[in-house]
C-alpha cells in the first residue's frame, strides 16, 4: 500500500511529464509489445474469429511441421544464412576500407564530391533499386547484357533466372547502395583520432601504409565492434524487402529466405499461426546471435553494445 | 613539411584518385543511364543502342505518364502519407524524448529499457499484421503511419540532444511561471531545430521510399503510394498504356523511376549535411 501511495504521489508531482510520454508509451505497447504477446499464436491453431484467447493450443505442432514436413525448410535456412554470410564477408569490410581511402585523399573539394556522390544511392528506394536491377539485368533489353553482347561478344546471361547468380546480384547491389553511406560513422571515428599520433608516427619513419594500419584502422575498431554486433542483430533478416522484389520462381533455389516464406504463407495465404512460428524461429536465432556477440565482445574489449 | 614525399606515397595518391574516379563512375552510371533511357526512343533502348547518352531524344514516355491519373493519385498519396507521418513522428517522439532526458525522473530507466529491447527483439511480421487488422486500420492512412510512428533510434538521438541543452534556461522559464509543456514548446523545441530537421527529413524520406507496409496493409488502388505503383510497373509488369500496347514499354519504366526519384534528388544536395550529422549523433551516442 505504501509503495502504491508513493507511486501515485510521484505520478501527481510530475503529471505533465508522464502525460507527455503517454502517446509514445502507448505506441510501444500497441505496436511493439502487443505483437510480442501475439507470438502466442505460434503455439495455437489461431483463427481470427476465435482470437488469441479462444484458439486451440497445439504446442510445437507448427515448428515440427516446418522442420519435418515442409520440404523447403532446410533450403530457406541455408539461403538466409548464406546471403547474410556473403553480406558480412563482402559488405561489412567495404566501408572500412573506403573510409581509409577517403581519409587519405588530399584535395579537400575532390574528397567532398566523391563522398557526396557515394552517399547518393542510399537515398534511392528499395523499389527503385530492385527496378533498376530487374531492367538492367534483363537478358533481352537490359543494358548489362547489351554490354556483354556488343562489347565483350558474349552470350546474354539471364542473371535473375539462374540461381547461381542471385547471391552475387544481391550482395553487389547491397554494396553499391550502402558502401558510401556506411563510411560516415568510420569517418567520424577517424576525425576523432589525435593528429599528434600521425605526427609522431611520421617522426618515427612510419610509412603511409603503416600509418593507415596502425593509427587509422586501430582508431576505427570501437565503432567496428558496435556495428558488427548490430549487424549480427539483423543477421537473419537480410534485406528482405529487396529480395521480395527481385526474386522469382526461377531463382527460388538460392533466393527464397525465411522472411519471404513467412510473407507468402502468412500474408498471402493467411496461414497466421504457421507463419508466426517460422518467423519466431528466425527472431530467436537473431536475438541469440546478438546477445552472444555482445557477450564475447564485452569479454575481450572495452566496447560493447550494452 | 618540407620533407620530400616518397615515391611510393605519391604512387599511392595517384592510385587512390584513380580508384575514386572509377567509384564515381560506378555510382553515377546507373542513375545517368536511367535518365538517358527515359528520354530516348524506346526501340533504341530495347535493342541496346543506348549505352550512356540518350539517342533520338523524345519525352513521349513522360507524356504518357503525365496523363495517367493513377500516377497523380499515388503521388498525392505519398505526399499525404509523408507529411502526416513526419508531423506526428516529430510531435510524439519529442514529447516522449523530453521527459526521458530528465535524469531524475522516476521510471525513466524502465521506459528506456523497454524501448531499447524492441531494437533486439520484436513480434515479427504476422503478429504486427494481426494487431493492425484487429484495430481495423487496414486500408487507411493509419496503417501506413502508426505502426512505424516512433523509431527507437530517433527517440534516442532526440533524448541525447535534449540532455545536452543547458538546464538553466528551463529553470529560468519555470521561475517565470511556465509549465512543463510551455517550457517544451517555447524553450526546448526552438533550440532543437537542427535535430528536429534531421529526424523530420529522415522520416519523410523513409516514408517516401517505403513500400512494404503499403503492400501488406493497403488493398485499394486509390490508396496506393508511388512506390507500389512503381513496383507494379517495374517488377510486376503492369502496363500503364493499357492491354497489349508495348510501344513505350522500356522507356516508360525508366521515366517512372525518374519521376519517383526526382524529388529526392532535388532536395538531396541541400539536406545531405543534416543526414550526415544525424547519423553521427545517432551512431556515437545512441
Amino acid at each position: 500500500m505504501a509503495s502504491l501511495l508513493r507511486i501515485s504521489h510521484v505520478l501527481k508531482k510530475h503529471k505533465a511529464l508522464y502525460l507527455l510520454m503517454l502517446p509514445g508509451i502507448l505506441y510501444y505497447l500497441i505496436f511493439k509489445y502487443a505483437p510480442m504477446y501475439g507470438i502466442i499464436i505460434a503455439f495455437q491453431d489461431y483463427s481470427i474469429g476465435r482470437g488469441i484467447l479462444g484458439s486451440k493450443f497445439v504446442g510445437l505442432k507448427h515448428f515440427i511441421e516446418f522442420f519435418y514436413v515442409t520440404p523447403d525448410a532446410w533450403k530457406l535456412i541455408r539461403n538466409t544464412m548464406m546471403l547474410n554470410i556473403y553480406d558480412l564477408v563482402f559488405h561489412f569490410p567495404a566501408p572500412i576500407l573506403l573510409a581509409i581511402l577517403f581519409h587519405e585523399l588530399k584535395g579537400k573539394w575532390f574528397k567532398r564530391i566523391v563522398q557526396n556522390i557515394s552517399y547518393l544511392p542510399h537515398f534511392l528506394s528499395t523499389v527503385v533499386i530492385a527496378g533498376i536491377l530487374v531492367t538492367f539485368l534483363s537478358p533481352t533489353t537490359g543494358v548489362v547484357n547489351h554490354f556483354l553482347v556488343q562489347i565483350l561478344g558474349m552470350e546474354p546471361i539471364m542473371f535473375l533466372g539462374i540461381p547461381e547468380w542471385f547471391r552475387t546480384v544481391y550482395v553487389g547491389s547491397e554494396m553499391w547502395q550502402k558502401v558510401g553511406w556506411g563510411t560516415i560513422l568510420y569517418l567520424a571515428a577517424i576525425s576523432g583520432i589525435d593528429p599528434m599520433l600521425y605526427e609522431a608516427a611520421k617522426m618515427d619513419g612510419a610509412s603511409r601504409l603503416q600509418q593507415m594500419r596502425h593509427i587509422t584502422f586501430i582508431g576505427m575498431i570501437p565503432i567496428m565492434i558496435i556495428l558488427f554486433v548490430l549487424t549480427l542483430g539483423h543477421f537473419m533478416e537480410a534485406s528482405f524487402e529487396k529480395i521480395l522484389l527481385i526474386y522469382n520462381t526461377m531463382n527460388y533455389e538460392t533466393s527464397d529466405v525465411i522472411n519471404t516464406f513467412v510473407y507468402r504463407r502468412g500474408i498471402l495465404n493467411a496461414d497466421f499461426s504457421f507463419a508466426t512460428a517460422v518467423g519466431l524461429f528466425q527472431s530467436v536465432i537473431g536475438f541469440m546471435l546478438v546477445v552472444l556477440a555482445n557477450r564475447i565482445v564485452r569479454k575481450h574489449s572495452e566496447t560493447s553494445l550494452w | 613539411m618540407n620533407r620530400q614525399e616518397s615515391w611510393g606515397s605519391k604512387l599511392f595518391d595517384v592510385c587512390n584518385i584513380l580508384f575514386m574516379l572509377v567509384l564515381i563512375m560506378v555510382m553515377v552510371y546507373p542513375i545517368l543511364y536511367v535518365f538517358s533511357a527515359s528520354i530516348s526512343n524506346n526501340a533504341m533502348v530495347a535493342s541496346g543502342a543506348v549505352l550512356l547518352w540518350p539517342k533520338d531524344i523524345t519525352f513521349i514516355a513522360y507524356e504518357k505518364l503525365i496523363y495517367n491519373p493513377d500516377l497523380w493519385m499515388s503521388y498525392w498519396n505519398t505526399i499525404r502519407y509523408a507529411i502526416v507521418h513526419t508531423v506526428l513522428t516529430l510531435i510524439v517522439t519529442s514529447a516522449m524524448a523530453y521527459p526521458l532526458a530528465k535524469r531524475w525522473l522516476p521510471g525513466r530507466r524502465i521506459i528506456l529499457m523497454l524501448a531499447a529491447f524492441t531494437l533486439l527483439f520484436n513480434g515479427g511480421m504476422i503478429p504486427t499484421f494481426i494487431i493492425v487488422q484487429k484495430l481495423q486500420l487496414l486500408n487507411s492512412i493509419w496503417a501506413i503511419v502508426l505502426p512505424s510512428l516512433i523509431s527507437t533510434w530517433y527517440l534516442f538521438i532526440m533524448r541525447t540532444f535534449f540532455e545536452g541543452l543547458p538546464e538553466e534556461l528551463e529553470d529560468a522559464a519555470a521561475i517565470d511561471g511556465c509549465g512543463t509543456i510551455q517550457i517544451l514548446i517555447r524553450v526546448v523545441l526552438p533550440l532543437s531545430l537542427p535535430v528536429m530537421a534531421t529526424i523530420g527529413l529522415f522520416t519523410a524520406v523513409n516514408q517516401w521510399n517505403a513500400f512494404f507496409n503499403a503492400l501488406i496493409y493497403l488493398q485499394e488502388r486509390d490508396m496506393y503510394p508511388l512506390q507500389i505503383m512503381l513496383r507494379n510497373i517495374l517488377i510486376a509488369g503492369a502496363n500503364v498504356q493499357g492491354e497489349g500496347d508495348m510501344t513505350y514499354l522500356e522507356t516508360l519504366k525508366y521515366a517512372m523511376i525518374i519521376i519517383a526519384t526526382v524529388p529526392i534528388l532535388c532536395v538531396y544536395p541541400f539536406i545531405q549535411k543534416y543526414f550526415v550529422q544525424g547519423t553521427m549523433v545517432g551512431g556515437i551516442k545512441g
Side-chain angles (χ1 to χ4, degrees), chain A residues 10 14 16-18 20-21 23-25 27-28 30-36 38-39 41 46 48 98 101-102 104-106 110 114 116-121 123-125 127-128 130-132 134-136 140-141 143 146-147 150-151 176 179 181 184-185 188 202 208 212 230 240-241 244-245 259 262-263 266-267 272 275-276 280 283-284 287 290 306, chain B residues 1 5 9 12-13 16 19-20 23-24 26-31 33-34 45-48 51 92 95-96 98-100 104-106 111 114-115 117-118 120-121 123 125-131 133-135 137 146-150 152 155 180 184 209 211-212 215-216 227 230-231 234-235 250 253-254 257 261 264-265 268 272 275-276 279-280 283:
Chain A
V10 168
H14 306 296
L17 287 174
Y18 290 114
L20 278 173
M21 281 199 286
I25 292 173
Y27 164 79
Y28 275 99
I30 295 172
F31 291 103
K32 296 288 169 185
Y33 281 89
M36 284 188 214
I39 287 175
I41 68 170
Y46 175 79
I48 302 176
L98 189 59
L101 293 181
F102 277 161
E104 295 294 329
L105 281 177
K106 297 245 166 80
F110 181 66
V114 184
N116 282 347
I117 288 177
S118 75
Y119 299 158
L120 190 60
F123 293 93
L124 301 179
S125 75
V127 179
V128 165
I132 289 180
V134 171
T135 47
F136 277 34
T140 49
T141 56
V143 66
H146 291 326
F147 267 108
Q150 290 174 24
I151 292 170
W176 179 76
V179 69
W181 188 253
I184 291 177
L185 288 176
K202 273 182 213 154
R208 286 275 287 280
M212 283 178 229
L230 280 176
F240 137 76
E241 295 188 0
L244 190 66
L245 290 166
N259 258 336
V262 170
Y263 168 75
I267 306 286
F272 289 148
T276 305
L280 177 63
S283 348
V284 167
F287 181 68
V290 72
W306 68 83
Chain B
M1 292 300 288
E5 278 187 66
S9 178
F12 174 83
D13 282 330
N16 198 7
F19 175 79
M20 290 301 159
L23 185 81
I24 292 178
V26 171
M27 293 293 165
V28 170
Y29 176 76
I31 300 169
Y33 177 84
V34 168
V45 174
S47 68
L51 289 177
V92 176
M96 188 169 178
Y98 177 66
L100 289 177
W104 41 261
L105 189 73
I111 295 168
L114 282 176
F117 183 71
T118 62
L120 300 177
F121 189 79
M125 190 194 310
I126 307 300
T128 312
F129 177 83
I130 291 175
I131 295 289
Q133 194 184 41
K134 286 259 175 217
L135 293 172
L137 300 177
L146 293 182
S148 52
L149 189 61
I150 298 182
T152 304
L155 179 72
T180 310
L184 176 61
N209 285 339
F211 90 100
F212 188 67
L215 181 70
I216 62 176
Q227 299 294 332
L230 192 60
R231 166 188 175 264
L234 288 175
I235 292 150
E250 290 304 311
K253 290 180 185 170
Y254 295 111
I257 294 181
T261 313
I264 302 274
L265 293 184
Y268 173 72
Q272 60 86 18
F275 283 112
V276 173
T279 308
M280 289 204 282

Side-chain angles (χ1 to χ4, degrees), chain A:
Chain A
M1 253 344 255
S3 65
L4 266 181
L5 269 174
R6 213 178 68 90
I7 289 175
S8 80
H9 176 72
V10 168
L11 282 177
K12 232 177 240 162
K13 193 172 156 204
H14 306 296
K15 198 169 73 188
L17 287 174
Y18 290 114
L19 272 178
L20 278 173
M21 281 199 286
L22 194 62
I25 292 173
L26 280 178
Y27 164 79
Y28 275 99
L29 291 181
I30 295 172
F31 291 103
K32 296 288 169 185
Y33 281 89
M36 284 188 214
Y37 168 73
I39 287 175
I40 294 179
I41 68 170
F43 306 94
Q44 296 177 328
D45 270 334
Y46 175 79
S47 80
I48 302 176
R50 270 177 270 142
I52 289 182
L53 295 175
S55 292
K56 197 173 140 227
F57 182 78
V58 295
L60 295 176
K61 179 184 142 190
H62 300 297
F63 295 91
I64 292 166
E65 189 193 328
F66 179 63
F67 289 113
Y68 292 101
V69 184
T70 312
D72 292 340
W74 168 237
K75 188 183 83 187
L76 295 169
I77 296 170
R78 183 200 63 198
N79 287 346
T80 310
M81 300 292 269
M82 286 310 285
L83 279 180
N84 282 292
I85 290 172
Y86 270 54
D87 200 52
L88 205 60
V89 169
F90 293 102
H91 182 189
F92 186 78
I96 301 173
L97 295 176
L98 189 59
I100 296 180
L101 293 181
F102 277 161
H103 178 65
E104 295 294 329
L105 281 177
K106 297 245 166 80
K108 205 163 182 183
W109 60 267
F110 181 66
K111 186 175 167 181
R112 196 175 302 158
I113 288 175
V114 184
Q115 278 178 299
N116 282 347
I117 288 177
S118 75
Y119 299 158
L120 190 60
H122 174 81
F123 293 93
L124 301 179
S125 75
T126 315
V127 179
V128 165
I129 300 282
I132 289 180
L133 283 174
V134 171
T135 47
F136 277 34
L137 296 176
S138 154
T140 49
T141 56
V143 66
V144 174
N145 275 311
H146 291 326
F147 267 108
L148 293 183
V149 173
Q150 290 174 24
I151 292 170
L152 300 176
M154 291 166 59
E155 290 290 305
I157 299 173
M158 213 171 151
F159 289 98
L160 289 173
I162 306 172
E164 284 75 16
W165 272 102
F166 187 82
R167 287 172 188 149
T168 312
V169 169
Y170 171 84
V171 176
S173 58
E174 279 296 282
M175 282 175 64
W176 179 76
Q177 189 182 10
K178 292 174 184 166
V179 69
W181 188 253
T183 60
I184 291 177
L185 288 176
Y186 292 114
L187 288 169
I190 293 175
S191 68
I193 296 174
D194 187 353
M196 294 289 282
L197 284 176
Y198 289 103
E199 291 303 320
K202 273 182 213 154
M203 292 289 204
D204 291 345
S207 70
R208 286 275 287 280
L209 215 58
Q210 282 171 323
Q211 291 176 35
M212 283 178 229
R213 248 179 57 197
H214 297 291
I215 304 176
T216 317
F217 186 78
I218 300 290
M220 292 191 289
I221 283 181
I223 195 78
M224 271 181 231
I225 291 175
I226 290 193
L227 289 180
F228 185 76
V229 177
L230 280 176
T231 310
L232 282 184
H234 300 288
F235 186 71
M236 297 296 280
E237 284 165 32
S239 285
F240 137 76
E241 295 188 0
K242 190 170 83 183
I243 298 175
L244 190 66
L245 290 166
I246 60 173
Y247 82 155
N248 57 53
T249 44
M250 283 183 291
N251 58 29
Y252 267 10
E253 189 53 35
T254 52
S255 64
D256 199 12
V257 292
I258 296 175
N259 258 336
T260 47
F261 180 76
V262 170
Y263 168 75
R264 286 201 307 276
R265 288 297 290 267
I267 306 286
L268 298 184
N269 298 350
D271 199 348
F272 289 148
S273 281
F274 181 70
T276 305
V278 178
L280 177 63
F281 162 71
Q282 166 173 299
S283 348
V284 167
I285 302 258
F287 181 68
M288 289 191 324
L289 272 174
V290 72
V291 171
L292 192 73
N294 193 62
R295 180 168 293 179
I296 293 172
V297 159
R298 197 161 50 176
K299 212 171 191 176
H300 295 287
S301 77
E302 290 150 20
T303 326
S304 71
L305 206 53
W306 68 83

Side-chain angles (χ1 to χ4, degrees), chain B residues 222-238:
Chain B
D222 56 2
M223 293 292 291
Y224 283 168
L226 197 54
Q227 299 294 332
I228 294 287
M229 168 107 182
L230 192 60
R231 166 188 175 264
N232 291 348
I233 293 174
L234 288 175
I235 292 150

Side-chain angles (χ1 to χ4, degrees), chain B residues 2-282:
Chain B
N2 292 326
R3 200 158 55 91
Q4 271 290 314
E5 278 187 66
S6 75
W7 189 79
S9 178
K10 271 183 187 149
L11 182 72
F12 174 83
D13 282 330
V14 172
C15 289
N16 198 7
I17 288 174
L18 286 178
F19 175 79
M20 290 301 159
L21 292 176
V22 172
L23 185 81
I24 292 178
M25 285 199 293
V26 171
M27 293 293 165
V28 170
Y29 176 76
I31 300 169
L32 196 63
Y33 177 84
V34 168
F35 179 69
S36 294
S38 76
I39 57 170
S40 293
N41 177 305
N42 187 64
M44 298 234 179
V45 174
S47 68
V50 176
L51 289 177
L52 175 61
W53 304 114
K55 293 240 167 79
D56 199 359
I57 293 178
T58 165
F59 293 95
I60 190 83
Y62 289 95
E63 251 171 64
K64 292 269 167 199
L65 285 171
I66 283 171
Y67 293 117
N68 184 318
D70 281 355
L71 175 74
W72 294 113
M73 177 77 89
S74 67
Y75 227 99
W76 165 238
N77 282 336
T78 293
I79 293 172
R80 196 157 67 98
Y81 300 159
I83 290 175
V84 174
H85 194 180
T86 307
V87 170
L88 280 182
T89 294
L90 285 178
I91 293 173
V92 176
T93 307
S94 59
M96 188 169 178
Y98 177 66
L100 289 177
K102 305 265 166 254
R103 290 177 188 283
W104 41 261
L105 189 73
R108 164 184 178 272
R109 255 186 77 80
I110 296 173
I111 295 168
L112 281 174
M113 300 250 284
L114 282 176
F117 183 71
T118 62
L119 289 174
L120 300 177
F121 189 79
N122 59 62
M125 190 194 310
I126 307 300
T128 312
F129 177 83
I130 291 175
I131 295 289
V132 174
Q133 194 184 41
K134 286 259 175 217
L135 293 172
Q136 305 198 318
L137 300 177
L138 288 186
N139 244 326
S140 75
I141 181 174
W142 306 115
I144 302 298
V145 170
L146 293 182
S148 52
L149 189 61
I150 298 182
S151 151
T152 304
W153 287 121
Y154 302 164
L155 179 72
F156 285 1
I157 291 176
M158 222 185 253
R159 181 204 59 147
T160 310
F161 188 90
F162 288 157
E163 275 176 356
L165 293 177
E167 221 162 316
E168 294 78 18
L169 283 172
E170 291 181 42
D171 292 343
I175 290 165
D176 287 347
C178 284
T180 310
I181 292 167
Q182 273 181 312
I183 294 177
L184 176 61
I185 294 171
R186 295 215 184 135
V187 181
V188 176
L189 290 186
L191 289 172
S192 312
L193 288 182
V195 76
M196 299 297 270
T198 309
I199 289 172
L201 288 168
F202 267 116
T203 311
V205 170
N206 282 344
Q207 183 55 51
W208 188 278
N209 285 339
F211 90 100
F212 188 67
N213 280 356
L215 181 70
I216 62 176
Y217 295 138
L218 302 178
Q219 282 110 31
E220 271 162 39
R221 233 183 138 74
D222 56 2
M223 293 292 291
Y224 283 168
L226 197 54
Q227 299 294 332
I228 294 287
M229 168 107 182
L230 192 60
R231 166 188 175 264
N232 291 348
I233 293 174
L234 288 175
I235 292 150
N239 200 327
V240 269
Q241 304 167 72
E243 283 308 306
D245 186 359
M246 310 274 271
T247 335
Y248 307 108
L249 191 65
E250 290 304 311
T251 47
L252 271 177
K253 290 180 185 170
Y254 295 111
M256 189 63 208
I257 294 181
I258 295 291
I259 288 180
T261 313
V262 149
I264 302 274
L265 293 184
C266 286
V267 291
Y268 173 72
F270 305 102
I271 61 176
Q272 60 86 18
K273 121 180 148 209
Y274 288 106
F275 283 112
V276 173
Q277 283 168 358
T279 308
M280 289 204 282
V281 175

